[in-house]
Coordinates of all heavy atoms in Angstrom, one line a residue:
M1 N 36.7 69.0 12.4 CA 35.9 69.9 11.5 C 36.2 71.3 11.9 O 36.2 71.6 13.1 CB 34.5 69.6 11.5 CG 33.7 70.2 10.4 SD 32.1 69.5 10.1 CE 31.6 68.9 11.7
S2 N 36.3 72.2 11.0 CA 36.8 73.5 11.3 C 35.7 74.5 11.8 O 35.9 75.3 12.6 CB 37.6 74.1 10.2 OG 36.8 74.2 9.0
T3 N 34.5 74.4 11.2 CA 33.5 75.4 11.5 C 32.1 74.8 11.5 O 31.8 73.8 10.9 CB 33.5 76.6 10.5 OG1 33.1 76.1 9.2 CG2 34.8 77.2 10.4
T4 N 31.2 75.5 12.2 CA 29.8 75.1 12.2 C 29.2 75.3 10.9 O 28.4 74.5 10.4 CB 29.0 76.0 13.3 OG1 29.6 75.8 14.5 CG2 27.6 75.6 13.3
V5 N 29.7 76.3 10.1 CA 29.2 76.5 8.8 C 29.5 75.3 7.9 O 28.6 74.8 7.2 CB 29.8 77.8 8.2 CG1 29.4 77.9 6.7 CG2 29.4 79.0 9.0
E6 N 30.6 74.7 8.0 CA 31.0 73.6 7.3 C 30.1 72.4 7.6 O 29.6 71.7 6.7 CB 32.5 73.2 7.5 CG 32.9 72.0 6.7 CD 34.3 71.6 6.9 OE1 35.0 72.3 7.6 OE2 34.7 70.6 6.3
F7 N 29.8 72.2 8.9 CA 28.9 71.1 9.3 C 27.6 71.3 8.7 O 26.9 70.4 8.2 CB 28.8 71.1 10.9 CG 27.8 70.1 11.4 CD1 28.0 68.8 11.5 CD2 26.5 70.6 11.7 CE1 27.0 67.9 11.9 CE2 25.5 69.7 12.1 CZ 25.8 68.3 12.2
D8 N 27.1 72.6 8.9 CA 25.7 72.9 8.3 C 25.6 72.6 6.8 O 24.7 71.9 6.4 CB 25.4 74.4 8.5 CG 25.2 74.8 9.9 OD1 25.2 74.0 10.8 OD2 24.9 76.0 10.1
E9 N 26.6 73.0 6.1 CA 26.6 72.7 4.6 C 26.7 71.2 4.3 O 25.9 70.8 3.4 CB 27.7 73.5 3.9 CG 27.5 75.0 4.0 CD 26.1 75.5 3.5 OE1 25.6 75.0 2.4 OE2 25.4 76.2 4.2
L10 N 27.5 70.5 5.0 CA 27.6 69.1 4.7 C 26.4 68.4 5.1 O 25.9 67.5 4.4 CB 28.8 68.5 5.5 CG 30.2 68.8 4.9 CD1 31.3 68.3 5.9 CD2 30.4 68.1 3.6
F11 N 25.8 68.8 6.3 CA 24.5 68.1 6.7 C 23.4 68.4 5.7 O 22.6 67.5 5.4 CB 24.1 68.5 8.1 CG 23.0 67.7 8.7 CD1 23.3 66.5 9.3 CD2 21.7 68.0 8.5 CE1 22.3 65.7 9.8 CE2 20.7 67.2 9.0 CZ 21.0 66.0 9.6
K12 N 23.3 69.6 5.3 CA 22.2 70.0 4.3 C 22.4 69.2 3.0 O 21.4 68.7 2.5 CB 22.2 71.5 4.1 CG 21.7 72.3 5.2 CD 21.9 73.8 4.8 CE 21.5 74.7 6.0 NZ 21.7 76.1 5.6
T13 N 23.6 69.1 2.6 CA 23.9 68.3 1.3 C 23.5 66.9 1.5 O 22.8 66.3 0.7 CB 25.4 68.4 1.0 OG1 25.7 69.8 0.7 CG2 25.7 67.6 -0.3
A14 N 23.9 66.3 2.6 CA 23.6 64.9 2.9 C 22.1 64.7 3.1 O 21.5 63.7 2.5 CB 24.3 64.4 4.1
A15 N 21.4 65.6 3.8 CA 19.9 65.4 4.0 C 19.2 65.5 2.7 O 18.2 64.8 2.4 CB 19.4 66.5 5.0
R16 N 19.7 66.4 1.8 CA 19.0 66.5 0.5 C 19.3 65.3 -0.4 O 18.4 64.8 -1.0 CB 19.6 67.8 -0.2 CG 18.8 68.3 -1.4 CD 19.3 69.6 -1.9 NE 20.7 70.0 -1.7 CZ 21.2 70.8 -0.8 NH1 20.4 71.5 0.0 NH2 22.5 71.1 -0.7
E17 N 20.5 64.8 -0.3 CA 20.8 63.6 -1.2 C 20.2 62.3 -0.7 O 19.7 61.6 -1.5 CB 22.4 63.5 -1.2 CG 22.8 62.4 -2.1 CD 24.3 62.4 -2.3 OE1 25.0 63.4 -2.1 OE2 24.9 61.3 -2.7
F18 N 20.3 62.1 0.6 CA 19.9 60.8 1.2 C 18.5 60.8 1.8 O 17.8 59.7 1.8 CB 20.9 60.3 2.2 CG 22.3 60.2 1.6 CD1 23.3 61.0 2.1 CD2 22.6 59.3 0.6 CE1 24.6 60.9 1.6 CE2 23.8 59.2 0.1 CZ 24.8 60.0 0.6
G19 N 18.0 61.9 2.3 CA 16.7 61.9 2.9 C 15.7 62.7 2.0 O 14.5 62.7 2.3
E20 N 16.2 63.2 0.9 CA 15.3 64.0 0.0 C 14.5 65.1 0.7 O 13.4 65.3 0.4 CB 14.4 63.0 -0.8 CG 15.2 62.0 -1.6 CD 14.3 61.1 -2.4 OE1 13.1 61.1 -2.3 OE2 14.9 60.2 -3.1
I21 N 15.2 65.7 1.7 CA 14.6 66.8 2.3 C 15.5 68.0 2.2 O 16.7 67.9 2.2 CB 14.3 66.6 3.8 CG1 15.5 66.2 4.6 CG2 13.3 65.5 4.0 CD1 15.3 66.1 6.1
D22 N 14.9 69.2 2.1 CA 15.7 70.4 1.9 C 15.5 71.2 3.2 O 14.4 71.6 3.6 CB 15.2 71.2 0.7 CG 16.1 72.4 0.4 OD1 17.3 72.3 0.7 OD2 15.7 73.3 -0.3
I23 N 16.6 71.4 3.9 CA 16.6 72.1 5.2 C 17.2 73.5 5.0 O 18.4 73.7 4.6 CB 17.4 71.4 6.3 CG1 16.9 70.0 6.4 CG2 17.5 72.2 7.6 CD1 17.8 69.1 7.3
A24 N 16.4 74.5 5.1 CA 16.8 75.9 4.9 C 17.8 76.4 6.0 O 18.9 76.9 5.7 CB 15.6 76.8 4.7
D25 N 17.3 76.3 7.2 CA 18.1 76.7 8.4 C 18.2 75.6 9.4 O 17.2 75.1 9.8 CB 17.5 78.0 9.0 CG 17.4 79.2 8.1 OD1 18.5 79.5 7.5 OD2 16.4 79.8 8.0
L26 N 19.5 75.3 9.8 CA 19.7 74.3 10.8 C 19.8 75.0 12.2 O 20.4 76.0 12.3 CB 21.0 73.6 10.6 CG 21.0 72.6 9.5 CD1 22.4 71.9 9.4 CD2 19.9 71.5 9.6
D27 N 19.1 74.4 13.1 CA 19.2 74.8 14.5 C 19.9 73.7 15.2 O 19.3 72.6 15.3 CB 17.8 75.1 15.1 CG 17.8 75.3 16.6 OD1 18.9 75.4 17.2 OD2 16.7 75.5 17.1
L28 N 21.1 73.9 15.6 CA 21.9 72.8 16.2 C 21.3 72.2 17.4 O 21.6 71.1 17.8 CB 23.3 73.2 16.4 CG 24.1 73.6 15.2 CD1 25.6 74.0 15.6 CD2 24.2 72.4 14.2
T29 N 20.4 72.9 18.1 CA 19.7 72.3 19.3 C 18.5 71.4 18.9 O 18.0 70.7 19.8 CB 19.2 73.4 20.2 OG1 18.2 74.2 19.6 CG2 20.4 74.3 20.7
Q30 N 18.2 71.4 17.6 CA 17.1 70.6 17.1 C 17.3 69.1 17.2 O 18.4 68.6 16.8 CB 16.8 71.0 15.7 CG 15.6 70.3 15.1 CD 15.3 70.8 13.7 OE1 16.0 71.5 13.1 NE2 14.1 70.4 13.2
P31 N 16.4 68.4 17.7 CA 16.5 66.9 17.7 C 16.6 66.4 16.3 O 15.8 66.8 15.4 CB 15.3 66.4 18.5 CG 14.8 67.6 19.2 CD 15.2 68.8 18.4
I32 N 17.5 65.4 16.0 CA 17.6 64.9 14.7 C 16.3 64.1 14.3 O 15.9 64.2 13.2 CB 18.8 63.9 14.7 CG1 20.1 64.8 14.8 CG2 18.8 63.1 13.4 CD1 21.4 64.0 14.9
A33 N 15.6 63.5 15.3 CA 14.4 62.8 15.0 C 13.3 63.7 14.4 O 12.4 63.2 13.7 CB 13.9 62.2 16.3
G34 N 13.4 65.0 14.7 CA 12.4 65.9 14.1 C 12.7 66.4 12.8 O 11.9 67.2 12.2
L35 N 13.7 66.0 12.1 CA 14.1 66.5 10.8 C 13.4 65.7 9.7 O 13.5 66.2 8.5 CB 15.6 66.4 10.6 CG 16.4 67.3 11.5 CD1 17.9 67.0 11.3 CD2 16.2 68.7 11.3
G36 N 12.8 64.6 9.9 CA 12.2 63.8 8.9 C 13.1 62.8 8.2 O 12.7 62.3 7.1
L37 N 14.2 62.6 8.8 CA 15.1 61.6 8.2 C 14.8 60.2 8.8 O 14.8 60.1 10.0 CB 16.6 61.9 8.5 CG 17.1 63.2 7.8 CD1 18.5 63.5 8.4 CD2 17.2 62.9 6.3
D38 N 14.6 59.2 8.0 CA 14.4 57.9 8.6 C 15.8 57.3 8.9 O 16.8 57.9 8.7 CB 13.6 56.9 7.6 CG 14.3 56.6 6.3 OD1 15.6 56.7 6.3 OD2 13.6 56.3 5.4
S39 N 15.8 56.1 9.6 CA 17.0 55.6 10.1 C 18.0 55.2 9.0 O 19.2 55.4 9.1 CB 16.8 54.3 11.0 OG 16.1 53.3 10.2
I40 N 17.5 54.8 7.8 CA 18.4 54.4 6.7 C 19.0 55.7 6.2 O 20.2 55.7 5.9 CB 17.6 53.7 5.6 CG1 17.2 52.3 6.1 CG2 18.5 53.6 4.3 CD1 16.3 51.6 5.2
A41 N 18.3 56.8 6.0 CA 18.8 58.0 5.5 C 19.9 58.6 6.5 O 20.9 59.1 6.1 CB 17.7 59.1 5.3
M42 N 19.6 58.4 7.8 CA 20.6 58.9 8.8 C 21.8 58.1 8.7 O 22.9 58.7 8.9 CB 19.9 58.9 10.2 CG 20.6 59.7 11.2 SD 20.7 61.4 10.7 CE 22.3 61.9 11.5
F43 N 21.7 56.8 8.5 CA 22.9 55.9 8.4 C 23.7 56.4 7.2 O 24.9 56.5 7.2 CB 22.4 54.5 8.2 CG 23.6 53.5 8.0 CD1 24.3 53.1 9.1 CD2 23.8 53.0 6.8 CE1 25.4 52.2 9.0 CE2 24.9 52.1 6.6 CZ 25.6 51.7 7.7
E44 N 23.1 56.8 6.1 CA 23.7 57.3 4.9 C 24.4 58.6 5.1 O 25.4 58.9 4.6 CB 22.8 57.3 3.7 CG 22.4 55.9 3.3 CD 21.3 55.9 2.2 OE1 20.4 56.7 2.2 OE2 21.4 55.0 1.3
V45 N 23.7 59.5 5.9 CA 24.3 60.8 6.3 C 25.6 60.6 7.1 O 26.6 61.3 6.8 CB 23.3 61.6 7.1 CG1 23.9 62.8 7.8 CG2 22.1 62.1 6.3
I46 N 25.6 59.7 8.0 CA 26.8 59.4 8.8 C 27.9 58.9 7.8 O 29.0 59.4 7.9 CB 26.5 58.3 9.9 CG1 25.5 58.8 10.9 CG2 27.8 57.9 10.5 CD1 25.9 60.1 11.6
G47 N 27.6 58.0 6.9 CA 28.5 57.5 6.0 C 29.1 58.7 5.1 O 30.3 58.7 4.7
F48 N 28.2 59.6 4.7 CA 28.6 60.7 3.9 C 29.7 61.6 4.7 O 30.7 61.9 4.1 CB 27.4 61.6 3.6 CG 27.7 62.9 2.9 CD1 27.9 62.8 1.5 CD2 27.7 64.1 3.5 CE1 28.2 64.0 0.8 CE2 28.0 65.3 2.9 CZ 28.2 65.2 1.5
F49 N 29.4 61.8 6.0 CA 30.4 62.6 6.8 C 31.7 61.8 6.9 O 32.8 62.4 6.7 CB 29.8 62.9 8.2 CG 29.0 64.1 8.3 CD1 27.7 64.1 8.3 CD2 29.7 65.4 8.4 CE1 26.9 65.3 8.4 CE2 29.0 66.5 8.5 CZ 27.6 66.5 8.5
E50 N 31.6 60.5 7.1 CA 32.8 59.7 7.2 C 33.7 59.8 5.9 O 34.9 60.0 6.0 CB 32.5 58.3 7.6 CG 32.0 58.1 9.0 CD 31.5 56.7 9.3 OE1 31.2 55.9 8.4 OE2 31.6 56.4 10.5
S51 N 33.0 59.7 4.8 CA 33.6 59.7 3.5 C 34.2 61.1 3.3 O 35.4 61.2 2.8 CB 32.6 59.4 2.4 OG 33.2 59.6 1.2
Q52 N 33.5 62.2 3.5 CA 33.9 63.5 3.2 C 35.1 63.9 4.1 O 36.0 64.7 3.7 CB 32.8 64.5 3.4 CG 31.7 64.4 2.4 CD 32.2 64.8 1.0 OE1 32.8 65.8 0.8 NE2 32.0 63.9 0.0
L53 N 35.1 63.4 5.4 CA 36.1 63.9 6.3 C 37.2 62.8 6.5 O 38.2 63.1 7.3 CB 35.4 64.2 7.7 CG 34.4 65.3 7.6 CD1 33.7 65.4 8.9 CD2 35.0 66.6 7.2
G54 N 37.1 61.7 5.9 CA 38.1 60.7 6.0 C 38.3 60.1 7.4 O 39.4 59.8 7.9
V55 N 37.2 59.9 8.2 CA 37.2 59.4 9.5 C 36.2 58.3 9.6 O 35.3 58.2 8.8 CB 37.0 60.4 10.6 CG1 38.1 61.5 10.6 CG2 35.6 61.1 10.5
R56 N 36.3 57.5 10.7 CA 35.3 56.5 11.1 C 34.7 57.0 12.4 O 35.4 57.1 13.4 CB 35.9 55.1 11.3 CG 35.0 54.1 11.8 CD 34.0 53.6 10.8 NE 33.3 52.4 11.2 CZ 32.1 52.4 11.8 NH1 31.5 53.6 12.1 NH2 31.5 51.3 12.2
L57 N 33.4 57.4 12.4 CA 32.7 57.9 13.6 C 32.4 56.7 14.5 O 31.8 55.7 14.1 CB 31.5 58.6 13.2 CG 31.7 59.9 12.4 CD1 30.4 60.5 11.9 CD2 32.6 60.9 13.1
P58 N 32.8 56.8 15.8 CA 32.6 55.6 16.7 C 31.1 55.4 17.0 O 30.4 56.3 17.4 CB 33.3 56.1 18.0 CG 34.0 57.3 17.7 CD 33.5 57.9 16.4
D59 N 30.7 54.1 16.8 CA 29.3 53.7 17.1 C 28.8 54.1 18.5 O 27.7 54.5 18.7 CB 29.1 52.2 16.8 CG 29.3 51.9 15.3 OD1 29.1 52.7 14.5 OD2 29.6 50.7 15.0
E60 N 29.7 53.9 19.5 CA 29.3 54.1 20.8 C 29.1 55.6 21.1 O 28.2 56.0 21.9 CB 30.4 53.6 21.9 CG 31.7 54.2 21.8 CD 32.7 53.6 20.7 OE1 32.3 52.7 20.0 OE2 33.8 54.1 20.6
E61 N 29.7 56.5 20.3 CA 29.5 57.9 20.4 C 28.2 58.3 19.6 O 27.4 59.1 20.1 CB 30.6 58.7 19.8 CG 31.9 58.6 20.7 CD 31.8 59.4 22.0 OE1 31.2 60.4 22.0 OE2 32.3 58.9 23.0
L62 N 28.0 57.7 18.5 CA 26.8 57.9 17.7 C 25.5 57.5 18.4 O 24.5 58.1 18.2 CB 26.9 57.3 16.3 CG 28.0 57.8 15.4 CD1 28.1 57.0 14.1 CD2 27.6 59.3 15.0
A63 N 25.6 56.5 19.2 CA 24.5 56.0 19.9 C 23.9 57.0 20.9 O 22.7 57.0 21.3 CB 24.8 54.7 20.6
K64 N 24.8 57.9 21.3 CA 24.4 59.0 22.3 C 23.8 60.2 21.6 O 23.3 61.1 22.3 CB 25.5 59.3 23.2 CG 26.1 58.2 23.9 CD 27.4 58.6 24.6 CE 28.2 57.4 25.1 NZ 29.5 57.8 25.6
V65 N 23.9 60.3 20.3 CA 23.5 61.5 19.6 C 22.0 61.7 19.5 O 21.3 60.7 19.1 CB 24.1 61.5 18.2 CG1 23.5 62.5 17.3 CG2 25.6 61.6 18.2
T66 N 21.5 62.8 19.9 CA 20.1 63.1 19.8 C 19.9 64.4 19.1 O 18.8 64.6 18.4 CB 19.4 63.2 21.2 OG1 20.0 64.2 22.0 CG2 19.5 61.9 21.9
T67 N 20.8 65.4 19.1 CA 20.6 66.7 18.4 C 21.7 66.8 17.4 O 22.7 66.1 17.4 CB 20.7 67.8 19.4 OG1 22.1 67.9 19.9 CG2 19.7 67.7 20.6
L68 N 21.5 67.8 16.5 CA 22.5 68.2 15.6 C 23.8 68.6 16.2 O 24.9 68.3 15.7 CB 22.0 69.2 14.6 CG 20.9 68.8 13.7 CD1 20.4 70.0 12.9 CD2 21.4 67.8 12.7
Q69 N 23.7 69.3 17.4 CA 25.0 69.7 18.1 C 25.7 68.5 18.6 O 26.9 68.4 18.5 CB 24.6 70.6 19.3 CG 25.9 71.2 20.0 CD 26.7 72.0 19.0 OE1 26.2 73.0 18.5 NE2 28.0 71.7 18.8
D70 N 25.0 67.5 19.1 CA 25.6 66.2 19.5 C 26.4 65.6 18.3 O 27.6 65.2 18.5 CB 24.6 65.2 20.0 CG 23.9 65.6 21.2 OD1 24.4 66.5 22.0 OD2 22.8 65.0 21.5
L71 N 25.8 65.6 17.2 CA 26.5 65.0 16.0 C 27.7 65.8 15.6 O 28.8 65.3 15.4 CB 25.5 64.9 14.8 CG 26.1 64.3 13.5 CD1 26.6 62.9 13.7 CD2 25.0 64.3 12.4
A72 N 27.5 67.1 15.6 CA 28.7 68.0 15.3 C 29.8 67.8 16.3 O 31.0 67.8 15.9 CB 28.2 69.5 15.3
D73 N 29.5 67.6 17.5 CA 30.5 67.4 18.6 C 31.3 66.1 18.4 O 32.5 66.1 18.5 CB 29.9 67.5 20.0 CG 29.4 68.8 20.4 OD1 29.8 69.9 19.7 OD2 28.6 68.9 21.4
V74 N 30.5 65.0 18.0 CA 31.2 63.7 17.8 C 32.1 63.9 16.6 O 33.2 63.4 16.6 CB 30.1 62.6 17.6 CG1 30.7 61.4 17.0 CG2 29.3 62.3 18.8
I75 N 31.6 64.5 15.6 CA 32.5 64.7 14.4 C 33.7 65.5 14.7 O 34.8 65.1 14.3 CB 31.6 65.3 13.2 CG1 30.6 64.3 12.8 CG2 32.6 65.7 12.1 CD1 29.5 64.9 11.9
E76 N 33.5 66.6 15.4 CA 34.7 67.5 15.8 C 35.7 66.7 16.6 O 36.9 66.8 16.3 CB 34.1 68.6 16.6 CG 35.2 69.6 17.0 CD 35.4 70.7 16.0 OE1 34.4 71.0 15.2 OE2 36.5 71.3 15.9
R77 N 35.3 65.9 17.6 CA 36.2 65.1 18.4 C 36.9 64.1 17.6 O 38.1 63.9 17.8 CB 35.4 64.5 19.6 CG 35.1 65.4 20.7 CD 34.7 64.6 22.0 NE 33.5 63.8 21.7 CZ 32.2 64.2 21.8 NH1 32.0 65.4 22.1 NH2 31.3 63.3 21.6
T78 N 36.2 63.4 16.7 CA 36.7 62.3 16.0 C 37.8 62.9 15.0 O 38.9 62.3 14.9 CB 35.6 61.6 15.2 OG1 34.7 61.1 16.1 CG2 36.2 60.4 14.4
V79 N 37.5 64.0 14.3 CA 38.4 64.6 13.4 C 39.7 65.0 14.2 O 40.8 64.8 13.8 CB 37.8 65.8 12.7 CG1 38.8 66.6 12.0 CG2 36.7 65.3 11.7
A80 N 39.5 65.6 15.4 CA 40.6 66.1 16.2 C 41.5 64.9 16.7 O 42.7 65.0 16.6 CB 40.1 66.9 17.4
D81 N 40.8 63.8 17.1 CA 41.5 62.7 17.6 C 42.3 62.0 16.5 O 43.4 61.4 16.8 CB 40.5 61.6 18.2 CG 40.0 62.1 19.5 OD1 40.4 63.1 20.1 OD2 39.0 61.4 19.9
N82 N 41.8 62.1 15.3 CA 42.5 61.4 14.1 C 43.5 62.3 13.5 O 44.2 61.9 12.6 CB 41.5 60.9 13.1 CG 40.8 59.7 13.6 OD1 41.4 58.7 13.8 ND2 39.5 59.8 13.8
G83 N 43.5 63.6 13.9 CA 44.5 64.6 13.2 C 44.1 64.8 11.7 O 45.0 65.1 11.0
T84 N 42.9 64.6 11.4 CA 42.5 64.6 10.0 C 42.0 66.0 9.7 O 41.2 66.6 10.5 CB 41.4 63.6 9.7 OG1 41.8 62.3 10.1 CG2 41.0 63.6 8.2
Q85 N 42.3 66.6 8.6 CA 41.8 67.8 8.1 C 40.6 67.5 7.2 O 40.7 66.6 6.4 CB 42.8 68.7 7.4 CG 44.0 69.1 8.3 CD 43.5 70.0 9.4 OE1 42.7 70.9 9.2 NE2 43.9 69.8 10.6
P86 N 39.6 68.3 7.3 CA 38.4 68.1 6.3 C 38.9 68.1 4.9 O 39.7 68.9 4.5 CB 37.5 69.3 6.6 CG 37.9 69.7 8.0 CD 39.3 69.4 8.2
G87 N 38.4 67.1 4.2 CA 38.7 67.0 2.7 C 40.0 66.1 2.5 O 40.3 65.8 1.4
S88 N 40.6 65.7 3.6 CA 41.8 64.8 3.5 C 41.4 63.4 3.3 O 40.4 63.0 3.8 CB 42.7 64.9 4.7 OG 43.1 66.2 5.0
P89 N 42.1 62.6 2.6 CA 41.7 61.2 2.4 C 42.0 60.4 3.7 O 42.7 60.8 4.6 CB 42.6 60.7 1.3 CG 43.7 61.7 1.1 CD 43.3 62.9 1.8

């Protein structure tokens, strides 16, 4: 993923669509548990990122995620490891 802004926008879109919550400003240090997304919505958010970025996020990495920055880092590493550009199939 190329920028934090892109992560922010994708996360806000997914949270609105799957968790029915509107997040005005994301603080990447914020724990995901405090955002009001239940586990099903979070699962759908992960699927949304995978679909949008054309990658499969590793479960073992996702299990360690507690903050938005953790999630952004996992996505960044996965995209880099796969040589995938955002928006590519």
Side-chain angles (χ1 to χ4, degrees):
M1 191 161 34
S2 59
T3 66
T4 301
V5 172
E6 182 179 357
F7 172 82
D8 288 0
E9 292 308 313
L10 285 174
F11 191 87
K12 287 177 186 178
T13 298
R16 193 171 31 254
E17 184 173 336
F18 302 113
E20 298 180 0
I21 60 171
D22 194 20
I23 302 171
D25 295 312
L26 285 183
D27 173 2
L28 293 182
T29 63
Q30 181 174 12
I32 292 172
L35 294 174
L37 293 169
D38 65 23
S39 59
I40 293 172
M42 197 59 211
F43 181 74
E44 291 174 326
V45 167
I46 297 300
F48 176 78
F49 272 100
E50 291 176 333
S51 174
Q52 291 296 307
L53 301 174
V55 297
R56 173 77 169 94
L57 299 173
D59 292 336
E60 62 276 2
E61 292 288 324
L62 291 172
K64 301 173 192 172
V65 168
T66 59
T67 67
L68 291 172
Q69 185 63 59
D70 294 340
L71 179 58
D73 291 345
V74 168
I75 292 168
E76 183 90 26
R77 281 192 304 274
T78 303
V79 168
D81 289 349
N82 286 296
T84 306
Q85 294 297 315
S88 301

